[in-house]
């Protein structure tokens, strides 16, 4: 009996087959590298599932040789084999006579359906040092050094940091877990932010050179007989670096400088002293005069600085006077004496025309406003109209041969419906605000005035 048993054992060893169907896997059986020899299908399923649930680990390789891991239990990781997969392996082994040995390949691979807790994985990703750690180095572009008095501008090199794109990193890790991968390389997967500008960038170097030219430049504003010099130190203190191929200038500081010029040289809207044709000194204010276009001039100033070249410039104006200075109306203008009810035309400093007038009716609050205004335009044969009524008619319609507006709808014009001018007519029987003039006198005035000429009204 012992000999027979030995023969049977010897026969099995030689042939590598079994004589009867079995419920366990033959020696050398593995699924995705996990051995399941001698196990039933239920035991094998449990071993495979338990291994992945307890032993699965994703290693996350990070920049600088650092790594972190996420384990299966942390994220509720589990795998599911395709239904009937293990039974099909066992059935095939039994059908083939249960062969095993070095000449028999009982290794099997299968794509398993992994599952995990999305919430747990999201929370674990958020706690990774590469995302929320305290030692993260921020990636930075190469840049030009900030202004330091007496020091040239230099290029500060770029920094290849350790900060990752959180969304991209989470996507890469989630995909690795979904496929059951054992390792993921964040750098190879493009998860790190990279500098966009390097110290060797030719544009950056050229801009640094221009910024250093700014250390020698000046900008001279010419305003009438005056000059204002913007020095290099002030210019350089406004420079904040370079971006998008341009020197960056602190706009607020440039605008503040332009405002100082406006405050110093603007005359429009300010109170000025005017010497009348009759020798009185009166104070007038109004829209006529010099007014810098501050927004446009700030843009122009920044543009000049970006060239790095010294230059002189007359600023841009939103409105202009005849001459610079407190008496910016110059020597040619029209004046309306609202008290004396008289109009004078002064040309090159001498009164060349005058006539009595009738201004706004004080009793009806149609006062002609005092102030200094630019003549808007002049026009022949115009019908002046009042407010439009509901029925489509107008409060009044007055045809005039000569129309010279200077303050909205207020202007100088002939008034052929009047038989007398001057005196105190305006107090109770004045105009709707316009300056009425004798028809015979107006043609000469019309020929002398022009758009933009100052019209000065005063009491």
């Amino acid at each position: 009996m012992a000999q027979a048993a030995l023969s049977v054992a010897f026969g099995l060893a030689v042939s590598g087959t079994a004589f009867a169907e079995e419920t366990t896997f033959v020696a050398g059986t593995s699924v995705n590298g996990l051995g399941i020899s001698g196990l039933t299908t239920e035991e094998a399923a449990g071993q495979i599932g338990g291994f992945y649930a307890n032993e699965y680990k994703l290693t996350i390789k990070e920049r600088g040789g650092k790594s972190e891991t996420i384990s299966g239990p942390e994220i509720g990781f589990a795998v599911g084999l395709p239904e009937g997969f293990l039974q099909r392996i066992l059935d095939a082994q039994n059908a083939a006579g249960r062969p095993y040995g070095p000449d028999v390949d009982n290794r099997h691979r299968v794509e398993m359906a992994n599952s995990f807790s999305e919430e747990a994985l999201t929370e674990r990703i958020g706690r990774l040092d590469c995302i929320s750690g305290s030692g993260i180095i921020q990636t930075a572009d190469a840049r030009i050094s900030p202004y330091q008095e007496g020091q040239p501008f230099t290029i500060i090199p770029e920094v290849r940091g350790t900060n990752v794109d959180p969304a991209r990193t989470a996507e890469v890790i989630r995909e690795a877990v979904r496929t059951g991968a054992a390792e993921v390389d964040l750098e190879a997967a493009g998860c790190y932010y990279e500098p966009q500008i390097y110290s060797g960038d030719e544009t950056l170097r050229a801009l640094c050179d221009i910024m250093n030219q700014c250390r020698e430049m000046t900008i001279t504003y010419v305003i009438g007989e005056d000059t204002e010099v913007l020095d290099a130190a002030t210019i350089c203190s406004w420079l904040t670096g370079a971006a998008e191929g341009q020197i960056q200038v602190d706009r607020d500081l440039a605008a503040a400088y332009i405002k100082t010029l406006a405050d110093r040289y603007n005359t429009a809207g300010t109170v000025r002293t005017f010497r009348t044709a009759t020798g009185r000194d009166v104070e007038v204010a109004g829209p006529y005069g010099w007014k810098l276009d501050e927004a446009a001039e700030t843009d122009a100033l920044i543009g000049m600085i970006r060239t790095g070249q010294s230059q002189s410039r007359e600023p841009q104006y939103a409105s202009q006077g005849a001459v610079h200075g407190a008496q910016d109306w110059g020597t040619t203008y029209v004046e309306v004496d609202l008290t004396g009810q008289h109009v004078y035309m002064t040309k090159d400093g001498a009164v060349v025309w005058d006539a009595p007038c009738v201004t706004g009716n004080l009793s009806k609050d149609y006062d002609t406003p005092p102030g200094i205004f630019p003549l808007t335009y002049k026009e022949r044969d115009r019908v002046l109209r009042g407010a439009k009524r509901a029925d489509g008619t107008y409060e009044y319609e007055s045809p005039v041969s000569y129309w010279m507006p200077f303050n909205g709808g207020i202007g100088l014009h002939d008034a052929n419906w009047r038989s007398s001018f001057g005196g105190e007519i305006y107090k109770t029987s004045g105009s709707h605000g316009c300056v009425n003039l004798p028809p015979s006198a107006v043609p000469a005035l019309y020929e002398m005035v022009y758009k933009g000429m100052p019209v000065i009204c005063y009491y």
Side-chain angles (χ1 to χ4, degrees):
M1 290 295 294
Q3 184 177 2
L6 182 62
S7 298
V8 171
F10 180 76
L12 286 172
V14 172
S15 66
T17 62
F19 293 110
E21 290 188 1
E22 297 289 346
T23 59
T24 60
F25 295 99
V26 302
T29 305
S30 67
V31 174
N32 290 1
L34 294 177
I36 56 173
S37 302
L39 302 179
T40 65
T41 55
E42 292 80 5
E43 291 170 338
Q47 175 161 308
I48 293 170
F51 171 81
Y52 280 102
N54 297 307
E55 302 298 328
Y56 176 72
K57 180 176 68 175
L58 174 64
T59 298
I60 302 165
K61 295 178 66 177
E62 300 169 6
R63 181 171 283 176
K66 185 179 177 181
S67 66
E68 299 184 67
T69 60
I70 294 178
S71 66
E74 288 182 291
I75 59 174
F77 188 86
V79 297
L81 291 166
E83 185 176 354
F85 173 74
L86 293 176
Q87 187 62 51
R88 287 194 292 275
I89 294 175
L90 183 62
D91 291 345
Q93 290 181 351
N94 288 332
R98 297 181 63 79
Y100 65 91
D103 296 328
V104 180
D105 187 0
N106 275 312
R107 295 172 301 171
H108 301 273
R109 298 203 65 80
V110 66
E111 183 175 339
M112 294 181 287
N114 300 336
S115 64
F116 53 89
S117 167
E118 286 281 358
E119 295 79 6
L121 179 59
T122 298
E123 189 274 336
R124 181 66 184 92
I125 291 173
R127 290 190 290 109
L128 290 171
D129 284 347
C130 65
I131 288 179
S132 59
S134 59
I136 295 174
I137 299 171
Q138 297 297 314
T139 293
D141 290 339
R143 64 194 188 280
I144 299 172
S145 62
Y147 170 70
Q148 290 184 324
E149 187 176 355
Q151 298 298 315
F153 292 100
T154 59
I155 293 178
I156 299 173
E158 69 282 352
V159 176
R160 293 187 78 237
T162 57
N163 56 321
V164 296
D165 178 338
R168 171 64 180 162
T169 301
E171 178 188 352
V172 167
I173 292 174
R174 188 170 284 104
E175 178 63 15
V177 172
R178 189 188 68 77
T179 60
E183 180 180 279
V184 64
D185 187 328
L186 296 186
E187 186 150 24
C191 293
Y192 286 93
Y193 288 113
E194 296 289 351
Q196 300 302 303
I197 301 175
Y198 291 83
S199 56
D201 184 270
E202 292 300 325
T203 299
L204 186 66
R205 290 185 174 276
L207 290 173
C208 187
D209 290 342
I210 294 175
M211 289 174 70
N212 280 317
Q213 290 176 25
C214 290
R215 298 176 65 236
E216 307 296 330
M217 77 179 293
T218 59
I219 293 175
T220 302
Y221 276 100
V222 179
I223 303 175
E225 299 297 321
D226 297 325
T227 57
E228 296 283 344
V229 179
L230 179 58
D231 61 78
T234 301
I235 291 171
C236 289
S237 70
W238 298 351
L239 304 184
T240 60
E244 299 178 354
Q246 288 187 322
I247 292 174
Q248 297 303 298
V249 181
D250 189 317
R251 183 179 178 83
D252 290 341
L253 294 177
Y257 176 78
I258 295 300
K259 187 177 186 305
T260 64
L261 297 183
D263 291 344
R264 191 173 303 156
Y265 293 102
N266 279 358
T267 57
T270 64
V271 176
R272 287 151 280 177
T273 301
F274 174 67
R275 174 65 59 88
T276 72
T278 58
R280 290 194 299 129
D281 285 337
V282 296
E283 290 188 340
V284 292
Y288 179 87
W290 298 95
K291 183 178 181 180
L292 268 74
D293 187 334
E294 294 184 42
E297 192 53 41
T298 298
D299 289 339
L301 175 56
I302 290 172
M304 287 188 290
I305 291 172
R306 284 173 170 162
T307 70
Q309 303 296 318
S310 296
Q311 49 198 290
S312 295
R313 175 179 178 79
E314 183 177 1
Q316 299 179 71
Y317 295 98
S319 66
Q320 300 185 33
V323 295
H324 284 281
Q327 297 180 337
D328 57 1
W329 49 83
T331 59
T332 298
Y333 49 84
V334 173
E335 62 177 279
V336 180
D337 184 344
L338 299 171
T339 302
Q341 291 291 284
H342 212 88
V343 177
Y344 303 90
M345 169 71 202
T346 296
K347 183 176 181 180
D348 298 330
V351 176
V352 295
W353 179 96
D354 71 285
C357 67
V358 176
T359 58
N361 190 331
L362 293 184
S363 68
K364 293 185 178 180
D365 293 328
Y366 291 153
D367 187 20
T368 302
I372 178 168
F373 310 93
L375 193 74
T376 311
Y377 60 88
K378 63 180 184 178
E379 182 181 7
R380 291 292 311 273
D381 301 324
R382 175 73 176 266
V383 177
L384 306 181
R385 293 183 173 91
K388 194 172 186 178
R389 300 188 183 99
D391 63 2
T393 62
Y394 296 90
E395 289 183 357
Y396 65 87
E397 291 187 290
S398 303
V400 299
S401 298
Y402 300 91
W403 171 235
M404 296 161 278
F406 58 84
N407 181 11
I410 296 174
L412 300 147
H413 63 78
D414 53 304
N416 58 16
W417 55 89
R418 292 190 182 277
S419 59
S420 60
F421 297 84
E424 297 187 352
I425 299 171
Y426 74 104
K427 291 183 178 180
T428 58
S429 187
S431 71
H432 288 85
C434 285
V435 180
N436 292 178
L437 293 167
S440 61
V442 175
L445 176 65
Y446 187 86
E447 291 302 316
M448 289 185 285
V449 300
Y450 50 83
K451 179 180 178 180
M453 175 182 284
V455 177
I456 306 169
C457 302
Y458 59 86
Y459 278 105

